[in-house]
PDB file of all heavy atoms in Angstrom:
ATOM      1  N   LYS A   1      64.021 -93.215  14.762  1.00 95.00           N
ATOM      2  CA  LYS A   1      64.341 -93.394  13.348  1.00 95.00           C
ATOM      3  C   LYS A   1      64.626 -92.128  12.604  1.00 95.00           C
ATOM      4  O   LYS A   1      65.579 -92.024  11.796  1.00 95.00           O
ATOM      5  CB  LYS A   1      63.237 -94.176  12.665  1.00 95.00           C
ATOM      6  CG  LYS A   1      63.464 -94.573  11.202  1.00 95.00           C
ATOM      7  CD  LYS A   1      62.374 -95.375  10.639  1.00 95.00           C
ATOM      8  CE  LYS A   1      62.675 -95.729   9.185  1.00 95.00           C
ATOM      9  NZ  LYS A   1      61.562 -96.525   8.560  1.00 95.00           N
ATOM     10  N   PRO A   2      63.865 -91.075  12.766  1.00 94.00           N
ATOM     11  CA  PRO A   2      64.202 -89.849  12.066  1.00 94.00           C
ATOM     12  C   PRO A   2      65.526 -89.146  12.380  1.00 94.00           C
ATOM     13  O   PRO A   2      66.048 -88.342  11.632  1.00 94.00           O
ATOM     14  CB  PRO A   2      63.003 -88.878  12.465  1.00 94.00           C
ATOM     15  CG  PRO A   2      61.930 -89.714  12.965  1.00 94.00           C
ATOM     16  CD  PRO A   2      62.612 -90.924  13.592  1.00 94.00           C
ATOM     17  N   TYR A   3      66.020 -89.539  13.502  1.00 95.00           N
ATOM     18  CA  TYR A   3      67.276 -88.952  13.980  1.00 95.00           C
ATOM     19  C   TYR A   3      68.510 -89.840  13.766  1.00 95.00           C
ATOM     20  O   TYR A   3      69.614 -89.401  13.441  1.00 95.00           O
ATOM     21  CB  TYR A   3      67.199 -88.592  15.506  1.00 95.00           C
ATOM     22  CG  TYR A   3      66.119 -87.577  15.761  1.00 95.00           C
ATOM     23  CD1 TYR A   3      64.783 -88.028  15.935  1.00 95.00           C
ATOM     24  CD2 TYR A   3      66.401 -86.213  15.803  1.00 95.00           C
ATOM     25  CE1 TYR A   3      63.794 -87.028  16.186  1.00 95.00           C
ATOM     26  CE2 TYR A   3      65.442 -85.263  16.080  1.00 95.00           C
ATOM     27  CZ  TYR A   3      64.095 -85.672  16.211  1.00 95.00           C
ATOM     28  OH  TYR A   3      63.117 -84.763  16.453  1.00 95.00           O
ATOM     29  N   LEU A   4      68.347 -91.178  13.954  1.00 95.00           N
ATOM     30  CA  LEU A   4      69.411 -92.085  13.841  1.00 95.00           C
ATOM     31  C   LEU A   4      69.347 -93.110  12.775  1.00 95.00           C
ATOM     32  O   LEU A   4      70.184 -93.961  12.569  1.00 95.00           O
ATOM     33  CB  LEU A   4      69.598 -92.835  15.182  1.00 95.00           C
ATOM     34  CG  LEU A   4      69.796 -92.031  16.473  1.00 95.00           C
ATOM     35  CD1 LEU A   4      70.014 -92.928  17.718  1.00 95.00           C
ATOM     36  CD2 LEU A   4      71.071 -91.133  16.335  1.00 95.00           C
ATOM     37  N   GLY A   5      68.219 -93.062  12.022  1.00 95.00           N
ATOM     38  CA  GLY A   5      67.990 -94.033  10.940  1.00 95.00           C
ATOM     39  C   GLY A   5      67.292 -95.280  11.515  1.00 95.00           C
ATOM     40  O   GLY A   5      67.035 -95.393  12.664  1.00 95.00           O
ATOM     41  N   HIS A   6      67.007 -96.247  10.646  1.00 96.00           N
ATOM     42  CA  HIS A   6      66.316 -97.462  11.001  1.00 96.00           C
ATOM     43  C   HIS A   6      67.203 -98.328  11.862  1.00 96.00           C
ATOM     44  O   HIS A   6      68.413 -98.567  11.601  1.00 96.00           O
ATOM     45  CB  HIS A   6      65.967 -98.275   9.790  1.00 96.00           C
ATOM     46  CG  HIS A   6      65.431 -99.603  10.057  1.00 96.00           C
ATOM     47  ND1 HIS A   6      64.165 -99.832  10.680  1.00 96.00           N
ATOM     48  CD2 HIS A   6      65.937-100.830   9.895  1.00 96.00           C
ATOM     49  CE1 HIS A   6      63.942-101.089  10.848  1.00 96.00           C
ATOM     50  NE2 HIS A   6      64.926-101.756  10.321  1.00 96.00           N
ATOM     51  N   ILE A   7      66.688 -98.780  13.076  1.00 97.00           N
ATOM     52  CA  ILE A   7      67.433 -99.651  13.938  1.00 97.00           C
ATOM     53  C   ILE A   7      66.530-100.955  14.022  1.00 97.00           C
ATOM     54  O   ILE A   7      65.391-100.873  14.514  1.00 97.00           O
ATOM     55  CB  ILE A   7      67.651 -99.059  15.364  1.00 97.00           C
ATOM     56  CG1 ILE A   7      68.428 -97.785  15.246  1.00 97.00           C
ATOM     57  CG2 ILE A   7      68.220-100.080  16.323  1.00 97.00           C
ATOM     58  CD1 ILE A   7      68.532 -97.060  16.513  1.00 97.00           C
ATOM     59  N   PRO A   8      67.083-102.087  13.614  1.00 97.00           N
ATOM     60  CA  PRO A   8      66.237-103.307  13.609  1.00 97.00           C
ATOM     61  C   PRO A   8      65.890-103.753  15.070  1.00 97.00           C
ATOM     62  O   PRO A   8      66.679-103.546  15.968  1.00 97.00           O
ATOM     63  CB  PRO A   8      67.106-104.329  12.816  1.00 97.00           C
ATOM     64  CG  PRO A   8      68.511-103.840  13.014  1.00 97.00           C
ATOM     65  CD  PRO A   8      68.410-102.313  13.108  1.00 97.00           C
ATOM     66  N   ARG A   9      64.783-104.537  15.138  1.00 96.00           N
ATOM     67  CA  ARG A   9      64.359-104.999  16.403  1.00 96.00           C
ATOM     68  C   ARG A   9      65.418-105.995  17.081  1.00 96.00           C
ATOM     69  O   ARG A   9      65.649-105.922  18.319  1.00 96.00           O
ATOM     70  CB  ARG A   9      62.994-105.772  16.260  1.00 96.00           C
ATOM     71  CG  ARG A   9      62.565-106.599  17.518  1.00 96.00           C
ATOM     72  CD  ARG A   9      62.232-105.672  18.676  1.00 96.00           C
ATOM     73  NE  ARG A   9      61.746-106.364  19.729  1.00 96.00           N
ATOM     74  CZ  ARG A   9      62.526-106.928  20.783  1.00 96.00           C
ATOM     75  NH1 ARG A   9      63.806-106.832  20.656  1.00 96.00           N
ATOM     76  NH2 ARG A   9      61.944-107.565  21.744  1.00 96.00           N
ATOM     77  N   GLU A  10      66.114-106.676  16.205  1.00 96.00           N
ATOM     78  CA  GLU A  10      67.134-107.616  16.738  1.00 96.00           C
ATOM     79  C   GLU A  10      68.400-106.891  17.319  1.00 96.00           C
ATOM     80  O   GLU A  10      69.229-107.533  17.997  1.00 96.00           O
ATOM     81  CB  GLU A  10      67.588-108.669  15.664  1.00 96.00           C
ATOM     82  CG  GLU A  10      68.152-107.993  14.424  1.00 96.00           C
ATOM     83  CD  GLU A  10      66.972-107.840  13.334  1.00 96.00           C
ATOM     84  OE1 GLU A  10      65.777-107.718  13.690  1.00 96.00           O
ATOM     85  OE2 GLU A  10      67.349-107.769  12.095  1.00 96.00           O
ATOM     86  N   ALA A  11      68.460-105.558  17.143  1.00 97.00           N
ATOM     87  CA  ALA A  11      69.550-104.856  17.725  1.00 97.00           C
ATOM     88  C   ALA A  11      69.281-104.515  19.226  1.00 97.00           C
ATOM     89  O   ALA A  11      70.233-104.135  19.933  1.00 97.00           O
ATOM     90  CB  ALA A  11      69.801-103.474  16.997  1.00 97.00           C
ATOM     91  N   VAL A  12      68.124-104.815  19.637  1.00 97.00           N
ATOM     92  CA  VAL A  12      67.763-104.485  21.077  1.00 97.00           C
ATOM     93  C   VAL A  12      68.309-105.720  21.919  1.00 97.00           C
ATOM     94  O   VAL A  12      67.902-106.818  21.817  1.00 97.00           O
ATOM     95  CB  VAL A  12      66.226-104.466  21.293  1.00 97.00           C
ATOM     96  CG1 VAL A  12      65.909-104.280  22.776  1.00 97.00           C
ATOM     97  CG2 VAL A  12      65.653-103.299  20.455  1.00 97.00           C
ATOM     98  N   ARG A  13      69.289-105.325  22.777  1.00 97.00           N
ATOM     99  CA  ARG A  13      69.928-106.351  23.557  1.00 97.00           C
ATOM    100  C   ARG A  13      69.284-106.583  24.892  1.00 97.00           C
ATOM    101  O   ARG A  13      69.441-107.608  25.576  1.00 97.00           O
ATOM    102  CB  ARG A  13      71.469-105.933  23.816  1.00 97.00           C
ATOM    103  CG  ARG A  13      72.207-105.610  22.584  1.00 97.00           C
ATOM    104  CD  ARG A  13      73.617-105.267  22.801  1.00 97.00           C
ATOM    105  NE  ARG A  13      74.463-106.453  23.120  1.00 97.00           N
ATOM    106  CZ  ARG A  13      75.750-106.456  23.002  1.00 97.00           C
ATOM    107  NH1 ARG A  13      76.484-105.441  22.670  1.00 97.00           N
ATOM    108  NH2 ARG A  13      76.405-107.539  23.348  1.00 97.00           N
ATOM    109  N   ALA A  14      68.519-105.630  25.410  1.00 97.00           N
ATOM    110  CA  ALA A  14      67.802-105.796  26.621  1.00 97.00           C
ATOM    111  C   ALA A  14      66.666-104.781  26.633  1.00 97.00           C
ATOM    112  O   ALA A  14      66.780-103.764  26.002  1.00 97.00           O
ATOM    113  CB  ALA A  14      68.736-105.542  27.869  1.00 97.00           C
ATOM    114  N   SER A  15      65.606-105.052  27.420  1.00 96.00           N
ATOM    115  CA  SER A  15      64.607-104.066  27.599  1.00 96.00           C
ATOM    116  C   SER A  15      63.947-104.297  28.981  1.00 96.00           C
ATOM    117  O   SER A  15      64.027-105.413  29.459  1.00 96.00           O
ATOM    118  CB  SER A  15      63.526-104.167  26.484  1.00 96.00           C
ATOM    119  OG  SER A  15      62.936-105.538  26.483  1.00 96.00           O
ATOM    120  N   TRP A  16      63.248-103.228  29.456  1.00 95.00           N
ATOM    121  CA  TRP A  16      62.653-103.389  30.811  1.00 95.00           C
ATOM    122  C   TRP A  16      61.522-102.268  30.851  1.00 95.00           C
ATOM    123  O   TRP A  16      61.557-101.292  30.160  1.00 95.00           O
ATOM    124  CB  TRP A  16      63.579-103.318  31.961  1.00 95.00           C
ATOM    125  CG  TRP A  16      64.155-101.910  32.167  1.00 95.00           C
ATOM    126  CD1 TRP A  16      63.664-100.936  32.939  1.00 95.00           C
ATOM    127  CD2 TRP A  16      65.369-101.474  31.690  1.00 95.00           C
ATOM    128  NE1 TRP A  16      64.566 -99.851  32.933  1.00 95.00           N
ATOM    129  CE2 TRP A  16      65.586-100.139  32.152  1.00 95.00           C
ATOM    130  CE3 TRP A  16      66.396-101.986  30.883  1.00 95.00           C
ATOM    131  CZ2 TRP A  16      66.704 -99.394  31.832  1.00 95.00           C
ATOM    132  CZ3 TRP A  16      67.522-101.231  30.557  1.00 95.00           C
ATOM    133  CH2 TRP A  16      67.654 -99.925  31.003  1.00 95.00           C
ATOM    134  N   SER A  17      60.635-102.464  31.874  1.00 94.00           N
ATOM    135  CA  SER A  17      59.596-101.478  32.126  1.00 94.00           C
ATOM    136  C   SER A  17      59.585-101.157  33.563  1.00 94.00           C
ATOM    137  O   SER A  17      59.867-101.999  34.410  1.00 94.00           O
ATOM    138  CB  SER A  17      58.254-102.056  31.754  1.00 94.00           C
ATOM    139  OG  SER A  17      57.178-101.159  32.032  1.00 94.00           O
ATOM    140  N   GLY A  18      59.289 -99.892  33.856  1.00 93.00           N
ATOM    141  CA  GLY A  18      59.159 -99.439  35.235  1.00 93.00           C
ATOM    142  C   GLY A  18      57.812 -98.667  35.413  1.00 93.00           C
ATOM    143  O   GLY A  18      57.350 -98.082  34.483  1.00 93.00           O
ATOM    144  N   LEU A  19      57.391 -98.634  36.720  1.00 91.00           N
ATOM    145  CA  LEU A  19      56.177 -97.907  37.002  1.00 91.00           C
ATOM    146  C   LEU A  19      56.486 -96.615  37.747  1.00 91.00           C
ATOM    147  O   LEU A  19      57.256 -96.604  38.731  1.00 91.00           O
ATOM    148  CB  LEU A  19      55.216 -98.709  37.871  1.00 91.00           C
ATOM    149  CG  LEU A  19      54.729-100.037  37.274  1.00 91.00           C
ATOM    150  CD1 LEU A  19      53.910-100.822  38.235  1.00 91.00           C
ATOM    151  CD2 LEU A  19      53.972 -99.789  36.012  1.00 91.00           C
ATOM    152  N   ARG A  20      55.903 -95.541  37.286  1.00 86.00           N
ATOM    153  CA  ARG A  20      56.041 -94.272  38.006  1.00 86.00           C
ATOM    154  C   ARG A  20      54.823 -94.086  38.935  1.00 86.00           C
ATOM    155  O   ARG A  20      53.666 -94.167  38.494  1.00 86.00           O
ATOM    156  CB  ARG A  20      56.068 -93.076  37.011  1.00 86.00           C
ATOM    157  CG  ARG A  20      57.188 -93.096  35.986  1.00 86.00           C
ATOM    158  CD  ARG A  20      56.986 -91.858  35.007  1.00 86.00           C
ATOM    159  NE  ARG A  20      57.950 -91.959  33.911  1.00 86.00           N
ATOM    160  CZ  ARG A  20      57.670 -92.560  32.737  1.00 86.00           C
ATOM    161  NH1 ARG A  20      56.423 -93.060  32.566  1.00 86.00           N
ATOM    162  NH2 ARG A  20      58.498 -92.603  31.771  1.00 86.00           N
ATOM    163  N   PRO A  21      55.029 -93.670  40.126  1.00 85.00           N
ATOM    164  CA  PRO A  21      53.898 -93.388  41.079  1.00 85.00           C
ATOM    165  C   PRO A  21      53.589 -91.968  40.942  1.00 85.00           C
ATOM    166  O   PRO A  21      54.331 -91.066  41.339  1.00 85.00           O
ATOM    167  CB  PRO A  21      54.533 -93.766  42.476  1.00 85.00           C
ATOM    168  CG  PRO A  21      56.022 -93.444  42.326  1.00 85.00           C
ATOM    169  CD  PRO A  21      56.350 -93.729  40.928  1.00 85.00           C
ATOM    170  N   LEU A  22      52.419 -91.655  40.333  1.00 81.00           N
ATOM    171  CA  LEU A  22      52.007 -90.298  40.107  1.00 81.00           C
ATOM    172  C   LEU A  22      50.827 -89.935  41.068  1.00 81.00           C
ATOM    173  O   LEU A  22      49.836 -90.703  41.015  1.00 81.00           O
ATOM    174  CB  LEU A  22      51.644 -90.070  38.718  1.00 81.00           C
ATOM    175  CG  LEU A  22      52.704 -90.429  37.647  1.00 81.00           C
ATOM    176  CD1 LEU A  22      52.171 -90.304  36.254  1.00 81.00           C
ATOM    177  CD2 LEU A  22      53.975 -89.471  37.795  1.00 81.00           C
ATOM    178  N   VAL A  23      50.863 -88.925  41.771  1.00 81.00           N
ATOM    179  CA  VAL A  23      49.736 -88.423  42.592  1.00 81.00           C
ATOM    180  C   VAL A  23      48.648 -88.159  41.738  1.00 81.00           C
ATOM    181  O   VAL A  23      48.668 -87.283  40.829  1.00 81.00           O
ATOM    182  CB  VAL A  23      50.182 -87.268  43.528  1.00 81.00           C
ATOM    183  CG1 VAL A  23      48.992 -86.819  44.334  1.00 81.00           C
ATOM    184  CG2 VAL A  23      51.357 -87.645  44.317  1.00 81.00           C
ATOM    185  N   ALA A  24      47.463 -88.865  41.959  1.00 76.00           N
ATOM    186  CA  ALA A  24      46.335 -88.788  41.040  1.00 76.00           C
ATOM    187  C   ALA A  24      45.636 -87.491  41.088  1.00 76.00           C
ATOM    188  O   ALA A  24      45.326 -86.902  42.162  1.00 76.00           O
ATOM    189  CB  ALA A  24      45.360 -89.897  41.314  1.00 76.00           C
ATOM    190  N   ARG A  25      45.269 -86.998  39.852  1.00 57.00           N
ATOM    191  CA  ARG A  25      44.367 -85.839  39.851  1.00 57.00           C
ATOM    192  C   ARG A  25      43.261 -86.196  38.846  1.00 57.00           C
ATOM    193  O   ARG A  25      43.592 -86.693  37.746  1.00 57.00           O
ATOM    194  CB  ARG A  25      45.076 -84.553  39.395  1.00 57.00           C
ATOM    195  CG  ARG A  25      46.133 -84.081  40.397  1.00 57.00           C
ATOM    196  CD  ARG A  25      46.647 -82.673  40.040  1.00 57.00           C
ATOM    197  NE  ARG A  25      47.626 -82.257  40.952  1.00 57.00           N
ATOM    198  CZ  ARG A  25      48.944 -82.202  40.652  1.00 57.00           C
ATOM    199  NH1 ARG A  25      49.325 -82.636  39.424  1.00 57.00           N
ATOM    200  NH2 ARG A  25      49.809 -81.799  41.464  1.00 57.00           N
ATOM    201  N   PRO A  26      42.071 -85.927  39.125  1.00 44.00           N
ATOM    202  CA  PRO A  26      40.957 -86.297  38.222  1.00 44.00           C
ATOM    203  C   PRO A  26      41.212 -85.645  36.831  1.00 44.00           C
ATOM    204  O   PRO A  26      41.642 -84.509  36.751  1.00 44.00           O
ATOM    205  CB  PRO A  26      39.711 -85.745  38.852  1.00 44.00           C
ATOM    206  CG  PRO A  26      40.066 -85.667  40.343  1.00 44.00           C
ATOM    207  CD  PRO A  26      41.526 -85.342  40.347  1.00 44.00           C
ATOM    208  N   GLU A  27      40.952 -86.374  35.786  1.00 42.00           N
ATOM    209  CA  GLU A  27      40.945 -85.932  34.394  1.00 42.00           C
ATOM    210  C   GLU A  27      42.330 -85.592  33.945  1.00 42.00           C
ATOM    211  O   GLU A  27      42.588 -84.872  32.922  1.00 42.00           O
ATOM    212  CB  GLU A  27      40.120 -84.666  34.209  1.00 42.00           C
ATOM    213  CG  GLU A  27      38.683 -84.769  34.719  1.00 42.00           C
ATOM    214  CD  GLU A  27      37.971 -85.936  34.129  1.00 42.00           C
ATOM    215  OE1 GLU A  27      38.087 -86.210  32.906  1.00 42.00           O
ATOM    216  OE2 GLU A  27      37.182 -86.647  34.858  1.00 42.00           O
ATOM    217  N   ALA A  28      43.428 -86.060  34.681  1.00 42.00           N
ATOM    218  CA  ALA A  28      44.837 -85.695  34.230  1.00 42.00           C
ATOM    219  C   ALA A  28      45.394 -86.859  33.421  1.00 42.00           C
ATOM    220  O   ALA A  28      45.334 -87.994  33.864  1.00 42.00           O
ATOM    221  CB  ALA A  28      45.658 -85.391  35.469  1.00 42.00           C
ATOM    222  N   ASP A  29      46.001 -86.535  32.290  1.00 40.00           N
ATOM    223  CA  ASP A  29      46.806 -87.512  31.523  1.00 40.00           C
ATOM    224  C   ASP A  29      48.108 -87.815  32.341  1.00 40.00           C
ATOM    225  O   ASP A  29      48.721 -86.910  32.890  1.00 40.00           O
ATOM    226  CB  ASP A  29      47.160 -86.964  30.174  1.00 40.00           C
ATOM    227  CG  ASP A  29      47.880 -87.845  29.304  1.00 40.00           C
ATOM    228  OD1 ASP A  29      48.765 -88.513  29.764  1.00 40.00           O
ATOM    229  OD2 ASP A  29      47.500 -87.878  28.089  1.00 40.00           O
ATOM    230  N   THR A  30      48.545 -89.124  32.360  1.00 43.00           N
ATOM    231  CA  THR A  30      49.676 -89.495  33.167  1.00 43.00           C
ATOM    232  C   THR A  30      50.943 -88.690  32.657  1.00 43.00           C
ATOM    233  O   THR A  30      51.851 -88.383  33.400  1.00 43.00           O
ATOM    234  CB  THR A  30      49.993 -90.931  33.110  1.00 43.00           C
ATOM    235  OG1 THR A  30      50.094 -91.410  31.819  1.00 43.00           O
ATOM    236  CG2 THR A  30      48.884 -91.726  33.872  1.00 43.00           C
ATOM    237  N   ALA A  31      50.931 -88.408  31.354  1.00 43.00           N
ATOM    238  CA  ALA A  31      52.149 -87.692  30.842  1.00 43.00           C
ATOM    239  C   ALA A  31      52.221 -86.263  31.267  1.00 43.00           C
ATOM    240  O   ALA A  31      53.271 -85.621  31.279  1.00 43.00           O
ATOM    241  CB  ALA A  31      52.123 -87.719  29.316  1.00 43.00           C
ATOM    242  N   ARG A  32      51.074 -85.757  31.829  1.00 41.00           N
ATOM    243  CA  ARG A  32      51.042 -84.358  32.310  1.00 41.00           C
ATOM    244  C   ARG A  32      50.983 -84.233  33.809  1.00 41.00           C
ATOM    245  O   ARG A  32      50.913 -83.113  34.315  1.00 41.00           O
ATOM    246  CB  ARG A  32      49.897 -83.662  31.634  1.00 41.00           C
ATOM    247  CG  ARG A  32      50.010 -83.517  30.092  1.00 41.00           C
ATOM    248  CD  ARG A  32      49.046 -82.511  29.499  1.00 41.00           C
ATOM    249  NE  ARG A  32      49.369 -82.336  28.139  1.00 41.00           N
ATOM    250  CZ  ARG A  32      50.248 -81.488  27.654  1.00 41.00           C
ATOM    251  NH1 ARG A  32      50.942 -80.752  28.496  1.00 41.00           N
ATOM    252  NH2 ARG A  32      50.496 -81.319  26.426  1.00 41.00           N
ATOM    253  N   LEU A  33      50.927 -85.348  34.479  1.00 44.00           N
ATOM    254  CA  LEU A  33      50.953 -85.221  35.953  1.00 44.00           C
ATOM    255  C   LEU A  33      52.320 -84.776  36.472  1.00 44.00           C
ATOM    256  O   LEU A  33      53.371 -85.324  36.076  1.00 44.00           O
ATOM    257  CB  LEU A  33      50.551 -86.573  36.611  1.00 44.00           C
ATOM    258  CG  LEU A  33      49.056 -87.010  36.516  1.00 44.00           C
ATOM    259  CD1 LEU A  33      48.908 -88.384  37.104  1.00 44.00           C
ATOM    260  CD2 LEU A  33      48.163 -85.965  37.277  1.00 44.00           C
ATOM    261  N   ALA A  34      52.408 -83.920  37.390  1.00 47.00           N
ATOM    262  CA  ALA A  34      53.653 -83.406  37.910  1.00 47.00           C
ATOM    263  C   ALA A  34      54.213 -84.571  38.816  1.00 47.00           C
ATOM    264  O   ALA A  34      53.512 -85.350  39.337  1.00 47.00           O
ATOM    265  CB  ALA A  34      53.428 -82.226  38.811  1.00 47.00           C
ATOM    266  N   ARG A  35      55.571 -84.552  38.952  1.00 54.00           N
ATOM    267  CA  ARG A  35      56.210 -85.562  39.704  1.00 54.00           C
ATOM    268  C   ARG A  35      56.504 -85.019  41.173  1.00 54.00           C
ATOM    269  O   ARG A  35      57.419 -85.424  41.799  1.00 54.00           O
ATOM    270  CB  ARG A  35      57.584 -85.992  39.100  1.00 54.00           C
ATOM    271  CG  ARG A  35      57.305 -86.628  37.659  1.00 54.00           C
ATOM    272  CD  ARG A  35      56.823 -88.013  37.646  1.00 54.00           C
ATOM    273  NE  ARG A  35      57.815 -88.974  38.151  1.00 54.00           N
ATOM    274  CZ  ARG A  35      58.766 -89.404  37.370  1.00 54.00           C
ATOM    275  NH1 ARG A  35      58.880 -89.021  36.080  1.00 54.00           N
ATOM    276  NH2 ARG A  35      59.683 -90.263  37.844  1.00 54.00           N
ATOM    277  N   ASP A  36      55.645 -84.156  41.634  1.00 75.00           N
ATOM    278  CA  ASP A  36      55.840 -83.600  43.044  1.00 75.00           C
ATOM    279  C   ASP A  36      55.397 -84.695  43.989  1.00 75.00           C
ATOM    280  O   ASP A  36      54.600 -85.565  43.676  1.00 75.00           O
ATOM    281  CB  ASP A  36      55.116 -82.277  43.222  1.00 75.00           C
ATOM    282  CG  ASP A  36      53.692 -82.308  42.738  1.00 75.00           C
ATOM    283  OD1 ASP A  36      53.357 -82.997  41.756  1.00 75.00           O
ATOM    284  OD2 ASP A  36      52.834 -81.700  43.445  1.00 75.00           O
ATOM    285  N   HIS A  37      55.854 -84.634  45.233  1.00 84.00           N
ATOM    286  CA  HIS A  37      55.554 -85.675  46.174  1.00 84.00           C
ATOM    287  C   HIS A  37      54.507 -85.301  47.215  1.00 84.00           C
ATOM    288  O   HIS A  37      54.126 -84.057  47.322  1.00 84.00           O
ATOM    289  CB  HIS A  37      56.845 -86.119  46.851  1.00 84.00           C
ATOM    290  CG  HIS A  37      57.537 -85.034  47.690  1.00 84.00           C
ATOM    291  ND1 HIS A  37      58.373 -84.157  47.060  1.00 84.00           N
ATOM    292  CD2 HIS A  37      57.500 -84.676  48.990  1.00 84.00           C
ATOM    293  CE1 HIS A  37      58.903 -83.265  47.980  1.00 84.00           C
ATOM    294  NE2 HIS A  37      58.329 -83.664  49.191  1.00 84.00           N
ATOM    295  N   LEU A  38      54.026 -86.252  47.889  1.00 88.00           N
ATOM    296  CA  LEU A  38      52.943 -85.987  48.780  1.00 88.00           C
ATOM    297  C   LEU A  38      53.218 -86.788  50.113  1.00 88.00           C
ATOM    298  O   LEU A  38      53.687 -87.973  50.069  1.00 88.00           O
ATOM    299  CB  LEU A  38      51.615 -86.602  48.208  1.00 88.00           C
ATOM    300  CG  LEU A  38      50.431 -86.580  49.107  1.00 88.00           C
ATOM    301  CD1 LEU A  38      49.862 -85.209  49.291  1.00 88.00           C
ATOM    302  CD2 LEU A  38      49.308 -87.546  48.495  1.00 88.00           C
ATOM    303  N   ILE A  39      53.007 -86.095  51.248  1.00 93.00           N
ATOM    304  CA  ILE A  39      53.000 -86.832  52.532  1.00 93.00           C
ATOM    305  C   ILE A  39      51.621 -86.851  53.072  1.00 93.00           C
ATOM    306  O   ILE A  39      50.982 -85.787  53.143  1.00 93.00           O
ATOM    307  CB  ILE A  39      53.959 -86.048  53.519  1.00 93.00           C
ATOM    308  CG1 ILE A  39      55.394 -86.038  53.032  1.00 93.00           C
ATOM    309  CG2 ILE A  39      53.892 -86.651  54.973  1.00 93.00           C
ATOM    310  CD1 ILE A  39      56.329 -85.090  53.782  1.00 93.00           C
ATOM    311  N   GLN A  40      51.060 -88.033  53.415  1.00 94.00           N
ATOM    312  CA  GLN A  40      49.783 -88.144  53.987  1.00 94.00           C
ATOM    313  C   GLN A  40      49.793 -88.837  55.390  1.00 94.00           C
ATOM    314  O   GLN A  40      50.458 -89.877  55.397  1.00 94.00           O
ATOM    315  CB  GLN A  40      48.883 -88.881  53.014  1.00 94.00           C
ATOM    316  CG  GLN A  40      47.454 -88.916  53.446  1.00 94.00           C
ATOM    317  CD  GLN A  40      46.580 -89.997  52.712  1.00 94.00           C
ATOM    318  OE1 GLN A  40      46.863 -91.191  52.873  1.00 94.00           O
ATOM    319  NE2 GLN A  40      45.666 -89.554  51.929  1.00 94.00           N
ATOM    320  N   LYS A  41      49.114 -88.319  56.272  1.00 95.00           N
ATOM    321  CA  LYS A  41      48.955 -89.012  57.574  1.00 95.00           C
ATOM    322  C   LYS A  41      47.550 -89.512  57.653  1.00 95.00           C
ATOM    323  O   LYS A  41      46.576 -88.752  57.588  1.00 95.00           O
ATOM    324  CB  LYS A  41      49.263 -88.042  58.730  1.00 95.00           C
ATOM    325  CG  LYS A  41      49.156 -88.684  60.065  1.00 95.00           C
ATOM    326  CD  LYS A  41      49.386 -87.601  61.118  1.00 95.00           C
ATOM    327  CE  LYS A  41      49.309 -88.234  62.621  1.00 95.00           C
ATOM    328  NZ  LYS A  41      49.414 -87.253  63.645  1.00 95.00           N
ATOM    329  N   SER A  42      47.370 -90.808  57.893  1.00 96.00           N
ATOM    330  CA  SER A  42      46.081 -91.396  58.009  1.00 96.00           C
ATOM    331  C   SER A  42      45.528 -91.166  59.435  1.00 96.00           C
ATOM    332  O   SER A  42      46.199 -90.682  60.311  1.00 96.00           O
ATOM    333  CB  SER A  42      46.032 -92.941  57.692  1.00 96.00           C
ATOM    334  OG  SER A  42      46.604 -93.604  58.829  1.00 96.00           O
ATOM    335  N   ALA A  43      44.220 -91.499  59.597  1.00 96.00           N
ATOM    336  CA  ALA A  43      43.569 -91.292  60.895  1.00 96.00           C
ATOM    337  C   ALA A  43      44.293 -92.158  61.991  1.00 96.00           C
ATOM    338  O   ALA A  43      44.262 -91.727  63.142  1.00 96.00           O
ATOM    339  CB  ALA A  43      42.089 -91.671  60.797  1.00 96.00           C
TER     340      ALA A  43
END
């Protein structure tokens, strides 16, 4: 809104949600988790 002005809800033609897989670190906010990848070999 501060950049493009008011856009009404009915202007939304489609919406969707996706999940990001983030490698967990204790006490980390998801917005601050790095998107680096991990390879793990189980026993």
Side-chain angles (χ1 to χ4, degrees):
K1 185 177 179 180
Y3 298 86
L4 301 182
H6 173 69
I7 298 172
R9 171 65 177 85
E10 55 268 25
V12 177
R13 303 182 78 163
S15 62
W16 70 87
S17 177
L19 297 177
R20 302 179 188 90
L22 303 173
V23 179
R25 296 194 183 102
E27 309 303 321
D29 183 316
T30 56
R32 295 193 171 277
L33 286 176
R35 299 285 288 279
D36 50 324
H37 60 276
L38 173 75
I39 297 170
Q40 185 197 67
K41 182 183 179 186
S42 75

